[in-house]
Amino acid sequence: MTSAPPDPTAPAAPAAPAADPPRSRRVAFLVAAAFFMENLDATIITTAVPAMAQSFGVAPVALSIGISAYLLALAVFIPVSGWVADRFGPRQVFASAILLFTLASVACGLAQSLPVFVAARILQGIGGALMVPVGRLVVLRSTPKSGLVKAIATITWPGLVAPILGPPLGGWIASAWTWHWIFFLNVPLGAVALVLALRWIDGAPGERRPFDWPGFFASGAGLAALMYGLDLLSHTAIDWPQALAFVAGGACSLAWALWHLRRTSHPLVGLSAFGVQTFRVSVFGGSLFRVAISTAPFLLPLMFQLAFGFSMVASGFMMLALFAGNLGMKPATGWVMRRLGFRGTLMVNGVLVALGFVACAALSPDTPLAVMAAVMVVGGMCRSMQFTAFNTLAFCDTTPAQTSSATTLFSMFQQLSAGIGIAFGAIALSVAQRFTGHAGHPGVADFRIALGLVAALALLALIDAAGLPRNAGARVSGHGDAAAPQASR
């Protein structure tokens, strides 16, 4: 099988060190901690909104702009991250992103009005947009292929855990102390992360290349419009014309950006990684899976509280069982992939993920709590395995020259998947209510239909994975003959 030629516009990247496991593990844990801080702030203020609204003297609904501003800033500036990392070096950019995120957190906590708070949240989003893809790039460049599964498993858990812990943690902080401490707690974490980033991450010379302004405006505007439209679709009362207009406008802008990136001599983001089958499967099939699991932090707490009558605390404990399953699977991830390979892991575990949603749909208010908790733990274990497998598969066969653009593209699709997941969960629940005729609070039957639709979506993600060669990513997973040809390009 022939390899795709490297992207001539992509800057050369230093190869990963041959072997330094202790250092690569330290870097992976550092990046995971930064990811956790960034992911947590995306959702942590949701339960503290009433207290914050009272402090600012505005209606609680007005605070939704604080959440939207953060997510939109992420969407706009993620495409820039690869160019900035190539220009100034991953170490400098990652450390600067941590510093910006931490200072913006202080500004959020000190804000006395809604406009100031929104401006600070935008700065937080810019810091997060640089932190996530550049942090992943740092891990990929500091980790040998043989250690990639463990490294990706380490930096994967914040994306699974933070959306679950964020709302109850924010509510507890706001009630036990004040909402300001939600942001002030980032200061010691950011300070330690900044010092360790400067100490552990190697500096690398920057690469000078022109900045692609048309690509930036088209991709940024497209992602922002699409994310905003998806956010509108996730609301209880959906303004369909407005939401669909933003989604359509965003899609058109991104389509033009794609056309432009393929033709310009110095694209903001190189697209050659799409010629690698393993990356392509992780992005497209993996996005369907990420959409499916992104519905869990939205649908499950609603089911426990609205349909089962649980308190917020009891619902939070159930979600903690899902979190326990996420972490509990990490030690076994490498062993499973060595036994089954990427294709086998994705296919077998993908079916288990779908069955996990079916099991959640089968729960009822009369189900013993121990059984509910067991379903959540096992479901958390399966989704953690699938998440790690897809995330690792993306970078199995990309070349060093493709790494920067590949991490940027991957982060863009991951961000979109999270937004689509919440919107899909809301739409699935709305469709279920129309089917059952429940106009008020959704009941058990509504959630069963919605979770059934999510299970079907998780199974659709396996169609792409089924086309992988049996030895896809073997040199990373250690399955079978690692020297055999890798996934076709």
Side-chain angles (χ1 to χ4, degrees):
M1 297 180 184
T2 59
S3 297
D7 182 0
T9 66
D20 189 359
R23 176 180 171 277
S24 64
R25 282 198 294 269
R26 289 198 302 267
V27 171
F29 279 114
L30 169 63
V31 172
F35 282 12
F36 181 77
M37 187 168 63
E38 186 274 328
N39 277 281
L40 194 68
D41 269 49
T43 58
I44 194 170
I45 72 169
T46 54
T47 47
V49 161
M52 297 174 68
Q54 184 178 11
S55 176
F56 293 148
V58 298
V61 69
L63 260 296
S64 65
I65 191 174
I67 301 173
S68 299
Y70 180 83
L71 296 176
L72 292 179
L74 275 176
V76 170
F77 286 93
I78 280 178
V80 184
S81 60
W83 183 89
V84 174
D86 292 335
R87 174 64 180 83
F88 299 102
R91 176 194 182 192
Q92 292 85 339
V93 175
F94 186 64
S96 298
I98 293 174
L99 179 61
L100 176 61
F101 189 89
T102 304
L103 293 178
S105 296
V106 175
C108 286
L110 295 176
Q112 299 296 312
S113 67
L114 182 59
V116 173
F117 176 73
V118 171
R121 286 288 280 178
I122 291 173
L123 290 177
Q124 260 197 325
I126 295 173
L130 297 176
M131 196 189 309
V132 173
V134 176
R136 186 178 285 111
L137 176 63
V138 166
V139 169
L140 293 173
R141 289 185 175 177
S142 64
T143 305
K145 290 287 187 181
S146 59
L148 203 56
V149 172
K150 288 184 178 179
I152 296 295
T154 299
I155 66 174
T156 291
W157 70 266
L160 292 165
V161 172
I164 297 172
L165 290 184
L169 181 61
W172 179 79
I173 292 174
S175 59
W177 301 329
T178 66
W179 66 264
H180 308 80
W181 284 98
I182 290 174
F183 300 100
F184 292 153
L185 287 178
N186 285 335
V187 175
L189 296 175
V192 172
L194 177 60
V195 171
L196 295 180
L198 294 173
R199 181 176 179 181
W200 288 349
I201 298 174
D202 290 335
E207 293 284 341
R208 289 187 175 273
R209 58 188 173 105
F211 186 76
D212 179 15
W213 287 103
F216 167 63
F217 285 120
S219 61
L223 286 169
L226 192 56
M227 289 296 296
Y228 185 67
L230 293 172
D231 179 64
L232 292 176
L233 289 174
S234 68
H235 292 175
T236 304
I238 300 175
D239 185 343
W240 286 100
Q242 184 183 25
L244 293 178
F246 273 103
V247 169
C252 290
S253 183
L254 288 176
W256 188 91
L258 181 64
W259 179 88
H260 167 78
L261 293 174
R262 288 184 178 277
R263 285 159 179 79
T264 187
S265 56
H266 296 285
L268 182 67
V269 183
L271 302 178
S272 66
F274 283 125
V276 182
Q277 186 188 17
T278 46
F279 180 82
R280 200 165 56 243
V281 169
S282 178
V283 166
F284 296 126
S287 290
L288 289 177
F289 163 75
R290 294 180 194 100
V291 169
I293 67 164
S294 294
T295 65
F298 172 78
L299 285 177
L300 293 179
L302 284 180
M303 182 178 74
F304 290 136
Q305 294 178 55
L306 299 182
F308 291 6
F310 286 9
S311 66
M312 195 176 85
V313 174
S315 174
F317 274 113
M318 279 299 161
M319 297 306 291
L320 285 178
L322 192 68
F323 158 66
N326 290 335
L327 292 186
M329 195 62 187
K330 295 304 177 189
T333 300
W335 179 85
V336 172
M337 290 190 190
R338 282 193 299 273
R339 294 294 300 269
L340 300 180
F342 278 103
R343 182 176 179 273
T345 299
L346 291 172
M347 296 302 295
V348 174
N349 191 69
V351 173
L352 294 179
V353 170
L355 291 176
F357 282 111
V358 172
C360 288
L363 298 176
S364 73
D366 299 324
T367 303
L369 292 179
V371 175
M372 286 190 189
V375 168
M376 299 296 285
V377 168
V378 174
M381 294 173 68
C382 294
R383 78 186 202 133
S384 174
M385 171 65 71
Q386 199 78 346
F387 213 89
T388 299
F390 269 124
N391 289 4
T392 309
L393 181 70
F395 305 103
C396 283
D397 302 319
T398 53
T399 66
Q402 293 170 328
T403 303
S404 177
S405 59
T407 54
T408 302
L409 289 168
F410 187 84
S411 296
M412 289 167 59
F413 275 89
Q414 195 167 39
Q415 183 69 18
L416 281 175
S417 298
I420 294 173
I422 297 174
F424 183 85
I427 292 172
L429 192 57
S430 177
V431 168
Q433 287 183 272
R434 287 178 181 272
F435 181 78
T436 59
H438 293 164
H441 282 175
V444 175
D446 302 310
F447 284 102
R448 285 179 173 170
I449 294 172
L451 289 168
L453 294 174
V454 173
L457 183 64
L459 288 176
L460 284 178
L462 302 183
I463 296 175
D464 212 7
L468 286 170
R470 295 179 63 87
N471 66 332
R475 61 175 173 162
V476 172
S477 66
H479 173 70
D481 182 9
Q486 296 296 299
S488 61
R489 302 189 180 207

